[in-house]
Amino acid sequence: MFEAQNLRLTKQRQIILDELRKVISHPTADEIYQMVRKRMPKISLGTVYRNLEIMSDCGIIQKLDVGGTQKRFDGTVENHYHIRCVECNKVADIEMKPNHKVDSEAQKMTSFEVLRHRLEFMGICPGCKGTGNNKGRKNKAS
Amino acid sequence: MFEAQNLRLTKQRQIILDELRKVISHPTADEIYQMVRKRMPKISLGTVYRNLEIMSDCGIIQKLDVGGTQKRFDGTVENHYHIRCVECNKVADIEMKPNHKVDSEAQKMTSFEVLRHRLEFMGICPGCKGTGNNKGRKNKAS
DNA sequence: TTTGGTGCAAAGGCTTTGCAGAAAG
DNA sequence: CTTTCTGCAAAGCCTTTGCACCAAA
């Protein structure tokens, strides 16, 4: 998997990928750093960023640019839609199959060459629902 | 328009709003700063940020959290879809009417309470098409 | 051995904020 | 006058990067 790109299979790389694939959430770089640190306390945040970048460039994982200030990462690569909690910023998958017809529909309306689309729902997650929770308005996570 | 919220109609506020409404593009805070500066050279970037924030909180303008590192602003408030150039990051409107049915469709698939959605297309703008243009990969603008 | 990778810390890019003086109401 | 706003500069947050040492192949 890494060989093809002259990439070495370092312990850091393995653990980062392993931790990312272990969760269904879509953690930020820092959250991944915290998870990995439990298994490798001396790893540096820079290494985590570097490897997440490299792995998403290689198509091994996915970097998500959903709203909010931080990028999030996804251990799977298939395209799918997401929903983000407007209170705590938690991101989850939506099991809805991507509709590629909208791309050709959009193509009729623009002078851009349409490549793909991204659909993101916004809502309130079960944890924040009804609580009037405000605490985590920015970058809570998971 | 401002009175309702105890907001004062300052010269800075007027010019920022005026410049933003003058363009059909979706400028970043810094681009708005540059536009406004031509009419009011002493204005500070902080003031631009503060006012954009305030005006979007009041629903006078819209803060767009499309992909990329910078937020973008839109002088109109109606919900609509956007397309972003993957080369130069330019953002334009897509004249496609929002489909609210997808919200209820998504609602069936999640334990979140679905509020709304955001659909963003990605593509190549006329300016970058065919040029193999790479120069502006990050934050070019307009 | 030869590269590429790591840890550390410093630097970068965008945005927010504290403060004292300015101006709208 | 009172209260909000402004300009300035400093601080903040997330991310990237330079460098010397380390380790995979």
Side-chain angles (χ1 to χ4, degrees), chain B:
Chain B
M1 159 187 293
F2 284 115
E3 307 73 17
Q5 282 88 17
N6 285 354
L7 294 180
R8 291 178 179 174
L9 183 55
T10 63
K11 197 125 195 165
Q12 288 83 343
R13 218 99 95 181
Q14 292 178 66
I15 297 184
I16 291 170
L17 185 54
D18 185 51
E19 288 296 316
L20 182 53
R21 291 202 166 147
K22 207 184 266 179
V23 296
I24 61 164
S25 64
H26 300 73
T28 61
D30 191 70
E31 288 165 353
I32 295 168
Y33 174 54
Q34 300 306 338
M35 303 181 324
V36 169
R37 215 140 69 113
K38 291 184 183 135
R39 287 170 60 181
M40 180 178 268
K42 309 291 299 283
I43 196 171
S44 83
L45 182 55
T47 296
V48 172
Y49 271 105
R50 261 184 302 237
N51 281 314
L52 290 170
E53 185 67 32
I54 289 171
M55 291 193 286
S56 65
D57 280 355
C58 295
I60 298 169
I61 65 171
Q62 216 180 146
K63 191 198 294 197
L64 303 179
D65 197 356
V66 300
T69 45
Q70 296 167 82
K71 300 268 186 297
R72 290 175 175 274
F73 296 86
D74 191 327
T76 78
V77 158
E78 316 95 58
N79 185 28
H80 53 269
Y81 299 147
H82 296 101
I83 183 162
R84 179 164 53 92
C85 176
V86 297
E87 292 295 338
C88 71
N89 268 316
K90 179 168 143 182
V91 173
D93 290 335
I94 287 263
E95 304 297 343
M96 193 179 208
K97 71 171 194 299
N99 172 3
H100 295 296
K101 278 184 303 193
V102 295
D103 288 338
S104 33
E105 238 177 283
Q107 186 63 84
K108 295 176 202 148
M109 320 288 229
T110 183
S111 54
F112 281 52
E113 179 190 339
V114 178
L115 297 175
R116 57 185 181 277
H117 69 271
R118 196 177 75 197
L119 176 55
E120 183 196 334
F121 293 91
M122 275 152 282
I124 317 266
C125 76
C128 293
K129 221 184 289 187
T131 65
N133 177 2
N134 250 356
K135 300 164 239 159
R137 190 181 300 287
K138 295 200 166 179
N139 311 344
K140 245 291 254 359
S142 156

